[in-house]
Amino acid sequence: MKYLGSKRGLLPQILRAVGAAAGEGAVVADLFSGSARVAHALKAAGWRVIANDELCFAETLARGLVQADAGRWATRATKLLSDLSHLPPAAGWFTATYAVEARFLHPANAARIEAIREAIRRLEPEPELEAILLTALVQAADRVDSSAGHQMAFLRDLAPRAMKALELRLPELLPRPDSGPCLAVSEDAVALAAAIECDVAYLDPPYDQHAYLSNYHLWETLVRWDRPEVYGRARKCVDCRTRRSAFNSRTAIAPAFARLVAALRAPTLVVSFGAEGFLARAELERMLAGRGYLHVLEVVHRRYAGTRLGIHNGRGEKVGTPGPAGTLERLYVTSDRRLDLPRNQGYGAVLLPGS
């Protein structure tokens, strides 16, 4: 999926950091799982994963890609996806809202998405199977959307991919780890931190003003299937006006992050945070200082597509210039013991009080 803040380019470094602390049978918690890319990779590496995100569509992705196991669901899901693929289109509220009033999708694809989503609702499948089907539908819609990688606005002209026919594919399901079943939940991260115990906690919180509900409101509506009141050219659900994370606030992020770190019952934390976020490196290091040994890795990677394409006005016309092609991401790895991390690959030890 196209996802702002995706950690696809950082997966090797994240897995290496987790692996330095987590042995066989370890429990790893991803408290802001988003697209579930990291949680999915952690499960593939053999760890037992707790994936959490407050957004409904993100929790559904985690349930379909992380909690659900291939051995139990792959055959049945494949058959159902084949059946759903042959449904005739059924244009209604969703098509009118997101393919006519807003042009995130071609009307033909939107009508097929609408028919499939309504059929899933009528099926009332088991929660994990439902999550697999909805994950397949969101992924299929993402492959034929007409946006710059987020849903704050749509492109003036339909993107070439939007002209392709919608195609349902079985998501990349994984076998259950030997260490036990994985779990997907939808809780406030700070509250969840105090309620669970894990060997490693991976934290990738929002760290600037970009709210993920506003950026991916279409997927939230598609999964919730609640026909919300909408507003603006992008036809965002009204929740976008009121549901804001403390991590999207320049003034609220520091106390929220401090509470999160203090609440976690995990010997090792792996924190991903952009260098342009609301918290500076020195401030983050101060917050992590009491947890033991700290390593910091700096990785330059490409920005998400919307930034590279530039700034557009409400009519989709480019009125600004593209931002820098690259951005700096930092991994902060802090543990109650010294970890064997390869300094020649950029993991630099930081001397903290008591280290």
Side-chain angles (χ1 to χ4, degrees):
M1 285 183 62
K2 301 180 291 296
Y3 201 75
L4 186 152
S6 170
K7 295 302 180 289
R8 180 176 60 183
L10 284 173
L11 280 178
Q13 292 88 349
I14 293 169
L15 293 175
R16 190 174 296 118
V18 173
E24 285 189 36
V27 177
V28 183
D30 181 351
L31 273 72
F32 302 88
S33 58
S35 67
R37 186 182 295 276
V38 172
H40 184 266
L42 293 169
K43 179 179 180 179
W47 293 302
R48 188 176 180 183
V49 181
I50 301 171
N52 173 71
D53 202 289
E54 283 195 83
L55 292 182
C56 184
F57 89 90
E59 188 268 342
T60 297
L61 293 176
R63 190 186 303 136
L65 291 166
V66 181
Q67 179 174 313
D69 298 320
R72 182 175 183 186
W73 298 114
T75 300
R76 189 172 170 195
T78 299
K79 173 64 167 60
L80 284 173
L81 288 171
S82 177
D83 294 342
L84 292 168
S85 294
H86 293 93
L87 290 175
W93 179 88
F94 183 86
T95 303
T97 304
Y98 299 111
V100 179
E101 297 171 15
R103 296 188 301 278
F104 287 108
L105 298 160
H106 189 286
N109 280 328
R112 290 192 61 211
I113 291 168
E114 192 157 5
I116 293 166
R117 181 63 185 90
E118 184 59 25
I120 294 172
R121 183 193 66 80
R122 292 194 304 267
L123 279 172
E124 297 184 344
E126 298 96 319
E128 288 185 4
L129 180 57
E130 179 185 49
I132 294 170
L133 300 179
L134 290 176
T135 296
L137 183 57
V138 170
Q139 290 177 340
D142 178 72
R143 289 191 292 269
V144 296
D145 84 325
S146 186
S147 76
H150 58 76
Q151 295 157 2
M152 296 293 288
F154 47 85
L155 300 179
R156 181 181 59 184
D157 299 317
L158 282 174
R161 64 175 176 271
M163 310 304 291
K164 299 179 180 179
L166 184 85
E167 179 187 5
L168 289 178
R169 304 173 189 169
L170 181 70
E172 187 182 350
L173 303 182
L174 297 168
R176 175 174 292 191
D178 292 339
S179 53
C182 298
L183 178 66
V185 294
S186 182
E187 303 287 346
D188 172 79
V190 177
L192 181 65
I196 61 172
E197 292 188 31
C198 56
D199 299 287
V200 180
Y202 172 68
L203 308 179
D204 180 21
Y207 44 64
D208 57 24
Q209 73 276 14
H210 298 295
Y212 282 86
L213 177 58
S214 293
N215 281 315
Y216 300 102
H217 63 91
L218 181 53
W219 303 154
E220 186 78 353
T221 295
L222 179 57
V223 169
R224 292 175 64 92
W225 208 234
D226 54 354
R227 293 193 179 191
E229 180 184 350
V230 296
Y231 69 95
R233 287 180 56 83
R235 313 311 284 156
K236 292 188 287 187
C237 57
V238 292
D239 280 2
C240 293
R241 287 175 164 162
T242 57
R243 285 179 61 190
R244 302 286 295 184
S245 168
F247 293 92
N248 292 126
S249 166
R250 189 179 295 275
T251 56
I253 188 172
F257 191 81
R259 289 194 302 271
L260 176 62
V261 170
L264 277 166
R265 293 182 289 171
T268 300
L269 306 186
V270 178
V271 181
S272 178
F273 210 90
E276 299 172 14
F278 288 152
L279 296 178
R281 174 174 176 170
E283 191 170 11
L284 280 164
E285 289 183 359
R286 283 196 299 271
M287 292 183 185
L288 298 171
R291 301 195 68 99
Y293 303 98
L294 177 65
H295 289 76
V296 179
L297 169 70
E298 295 188 336
V299 180
V300 177
H301 63 95
R302 296 185 70 188
R303 292 177 181 270
Y304 69 97
T307 302
R308 296 199 306 272
L309 291 174
I311 301 171
H312 297 75
N313 64 17
R315 296 183 297 277
E317 299 165 341
K318 185 181 290 187
V319 295
T321 57
T327 185
L328 181 66
E329 191 86 13
R330 293 191 179 102
L331 280 185
Y332 300 82
V333 185
T334 180
S335 183
D336 61 357
R337 66 188 190 278
R338 292 187 184 275
L339 300 179
D340 184 18
L341 289 168
R343 294 192 183 188
N344 63 341
Q345 295 183 26
Y347 290 92
V350 177
L351 183 63
L352 296 175
S355 294

